[in-house]
């Protein structure tokens, strides 16, 4: 004789519940970054336009020189005494968290003052082992605003911050993949955002290594 209908229904219900629980656990694991497939990749948000700038050693650096591996960029300038020291501190800390293949790049939005020599002295004083870039002001501001979609502007003279930060600029990190595509923006002063940056950069470094 077959099992009573009530028993069969109970067994089916238990199996259905088990499947739902397993699917829920799988979804949590996926969102937490447990998957390394395409769905776990950060979205493509734009593309960095071509540029030719100069680093703290006087060498020309173009977008092509950064291709082939992911990189993280931010905007700073050496005369800034408010946000920039904190951004530089965060960028330095990223060095111990990011894969070696992920480059770090700080771009000065005050290139008339921040020559290669000034940037070299700043990098030395900050124990900074990453790339600093300078160049023509117009090109840098166009790259920041039009390319990275980050805000940059002269601080109004009547703003109390003007003496300490004559140029107002974004304090977000930008993650760029090995093909020059923007894959994320991260608040430099938000701990969880920076941790997400590290997770995303690791994923992109793994993908780049497979190509």
């Amino acid at each position: 004789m077959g099992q009573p209908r009530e028993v069969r229904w109970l067994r089916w219900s238990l199996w259905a519940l088990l499947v739902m629980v397993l699917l829920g656990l799988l979804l949590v694991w996926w969102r937490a970054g447990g998957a390394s497939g395409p769905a776990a990749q950060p979205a493509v948000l734009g593309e960095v336009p071509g540029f030719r700038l100069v680093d703290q050693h006087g060498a020309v650096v173009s977008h092509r020189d950064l291709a082939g591996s992911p990189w993280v960029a931010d905007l700073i300038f050496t005369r800034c005494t408010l946000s920039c020291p904190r951004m530089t501190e965060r960028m330095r800390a990223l060095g111990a968290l990011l894969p070696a293949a992920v480059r770090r790049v700080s771009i000065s939005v005050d290139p008339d003052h921040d020559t290669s020599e000034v940037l070299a002295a700043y990098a030395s004083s900050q124990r900074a082992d990453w790339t600093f870039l300078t160049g023509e002001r117009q090109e840098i501001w166009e790259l920041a605003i039009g390319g990275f979609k980050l805000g940059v502007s002269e601080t109004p003279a009547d703003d109390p911050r003007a003496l300490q930060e004559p140029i107002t600029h974004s304090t977000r990190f930008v993650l760029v993949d090995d093909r020059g595509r923007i894959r994320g923006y991260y608040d430099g002063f938000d701990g969880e955002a920076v941790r997400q940056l590290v997770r995303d950069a690791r994923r992109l470094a793994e993908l780049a290594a497979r190509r």
Side-chain angles (χ1 to χ4, degrees):
M1 295 180 61
Q3 294 177 326
R5 179 180 302 175
E6 293 80 0
V7 174
R8 292 197 304 271
W9 182 87
L10 179 59
R11 292 185 63 182
W12 183 90
S13 299
L14 290 174
W15 275 111
L17 178 61
L18 178 60
V19 169
M20 292 177 63
V21 170
L22 290 174
L23 288 175
L25 291 173
L26 180 61
L27 179 61
V28 171
W29 171 76
W30 189 277
R31 289 180 173 175
S36 58
Q41 300 176 33
V44 176
L45 304 177
E47 187 169 349
V48 179
F51 62 84
R52 279 175 60 86
L53 300 175
V54 182
D55 70 11
Q56 69 265 41
H57 307 298
V60 173
V61 176
S62 75
H63 60 289
R64 294 186 180 89
D65 296 311
L66 297 174
S69 62
W71 47 288
V72 177
D74 71 343
L75 306 178
I76 58 96
F77 64 103
T78 64
R79 293 189 295 165
C80 168
T81 60
L82 293 178
S83 61
C84 297
R86 294 176 63 192
M87 290 297 291
T88 298
E89 180 182 352
R90 292 295 175 91
M91 185 69 94
R92 181 171 56 246
L94 283 173
L97 302 173
L98 294 172
V102 179
R103 298 184 63 176
R104 291 166 290 155
V105 180
S106 290
I107 302 172
S108 172
V109 293
D110 185 21
D112 294 336
H113 176 270
D114 288 344
T115 62
S116 292
E117 293 78 11
V118 170
L119 289 178
Y122 180 78
S124 177
S125 70
Q126 298 296 316
R127 296 177 288 110
D129 59 352
W130 60 92
T131 300
F132 289 80
L133 295 179
T134 187
E136 296 295 328
R137 179 185 173 107
Q138 181 176 349
E139 180 179 6
I140 287 178
W141 280 44
E142 287 179 355
L143 175 63
I145 299 171
F148 288 116
K149 311 301 181 186
L150 297 177
V152 182
S153 64
E154 297 282 356
T155 304
D158 58 353
D159 190 312
R161 300 172 301 143
L163 291 178
Q164 294 176 289
E165 198 167 58
I167 299 173
T168 300
H169 59 86
S170 173
T171 56
R172 292 191 292 174
F173 289 113
V174 183
L175 176 61
V176 183
D177 67 16
D178 60 314
R179 298 178 178 179
R181 301 175 301 180
I182 297 172
R183 305 300 289 270
Y185 294 95
Y186 311 85
D187 184 345
F189 302 149
D190 184 298
E192 179 52 38
V194 173
R195 287 188 286 273
Q196 186 62 50
L197 163 60
V198 172
R199 290 191 290 266
D200 290 345
R202 287 174 176 170
R203 292 191 187 104
L204 294 182
E206 291 172 359
L207 292 170
R210 296 174 190 164
R211 295 192 178 109

